[in-house]
Amino acid sequence: MTSIQKTHLLYKLYKYRALGYEYIAYEHRPIAMSNTTQQSSTTLDSLYKTIQNCHLCPLSKYRKNVVFGEGNPNADLMFIGEGPGASEDETGKPFVGLAGGLLTKIIENVLHVKRSEVYIANVVKCRPPKNRVPDMEEVDACRPFLMEQIALVKPRIIVALGSTSYHHLTGEYDTKISQIRGSVIEFGGAKLVPTYHPSFLLRNPSAKKDVYHDMLKVKTLL
């Protein structure tokens, strides 16, 4: 291990220790393998306040607002997307642009539940420049926050919206979302169902029927 690698490792260890984690392995681990069942006195409100002061990765330099998440804090169903876009960065709320409008229709018209009854979050809490895909360093910086969100909400079902969400939640980086969408995957104490991201559906309307069938499967799990 080089001195640069050691410095980077120490940085990550101190960062996680500051967030209340006593130990984390050096190798990259998918979120599903991490300890999300540990006892914590953190609440969603206190976690939000912590993230508002977060500068653990370069994304904090560009954000207008932290996009933490919203919805029922005791929801059975949680949606996890990739990261905030321009509209979300402006408002501080997840999925409020065109993709957000489509997600709302999917939740309310297919699942027949109110959007306010589910919980919605993203893998990263700050908008990547030009809406690019967040890199591994940025995801690693946000990982403890998402782990804690999942642990606090305790959903029975998690819908991974898009490949970035699915890949980082499971660590299955070689599997295409088109190959895995609609599958029901054991995810700690929850069921994980990957599907296409609403932004993808705006570009590829023919895929809406696939998401419709995926949501019917989610509905049977509720």
Side-chain angles (χ1 to χ4, degrees), residues 107-151:
I107 294 169
E108 298 188 347
N109 296 343
V110 182
L111 297 177
H112 297 116
V113 298
K114 295 180 179 179
R115 173 172 164 144
S116 60
E117 293 177 1
V118 307
Y119 195 87
I120 303 173
N122 284 301
V123 171
V124 295
K125 312 304 182 190
C126 300
R127 180 194 180 194
K130 299 181 180 180
N131 292 348
R132 64 164 172 75
V133 175
D135 63 31
M136 190 66 76
E137 178 185 356
E138 293 157 356
V139 172
D140 281 345
C142 256
R143 185 180 309 278
F145 301 135
L146 180 58
M147 289 164 54
E148 192 69 15
Q149 270 184 306
I150 295 172

Side-chain angles (χ1 to χ4, degrees), residues 67-214:
V67 182
F68 178 67
E70 69 174 7
N72 182 353
N74 301 303
D76 286 333
L77 177 59
M78 184 173 184
F79 289 83
I80 300 177
E82 174 181 300
S87 298
E88 292 76 17
D89 188 39
E90 288 285 347
T91 63
K93 296 180 179 296
F95 286 92
V96 294
L98 292 176
L102 180 54
L103 178 60
T104 300
K105 290 180 180 178
I106 291 170
I107 294 169
E108 298 188 347
N109 296 343
V110 182
L111 297 177
H112 297 116
V113 298
K114 295 180 179 179
R115 173 172 164 144
S116 60
E117 293 177 1
V118 307
Y119 195 87
I120 303 173
N122 284 301
V123 171
V124 295
K125 312 304 182 190
C126 300
R127 180 194 180 194
K130 299 181 180 180
N131 292 348
R132 64 164 172 75
V133 175
D135 63 31
M136 190 66 76
E137 178 185 356
E138 293 157 356
V139 172
D140 281 345
C142 256
R143 185 180 309 278
F145 301 135
L146 180 58
M147 289 164 54
E148 192 69 15
Q149 270 184 306
I150 295 172
L152 289 167
V153 176
K154 297 182 179 65
R156 291 193 299 109
I157 305 158
I158 297 172
V159 176
L161 296 170
S163 58
T164 299
S165 176
Y166 166 72
H167 290 157
H168 289 300
L169 284 168
T170 64
E172 294 291 335
Y173 294 98
D174 295 329
T175 305
K176 295 181 179 179
I177 190 69
S178 59
Q179 298 172 323
I180 199 68
R181 51 145 289 270
S183 301
V184 180
I185 302 165
E186 293 295 330
F187 187 87
K191 306 287 187 183
L192 177 71
V193 181
T195 193
Y196 293 126
H197 193 285
S199 293
F200 177 81
L201 300 182
L202 293 174
R203 301 189 301 270
N204 302 273
S206 62
K208 289 182 180 180
K209 64 180 183 298
D210 295 325
V211 174
Y212 174 77
H213 290 298
D214 295 346

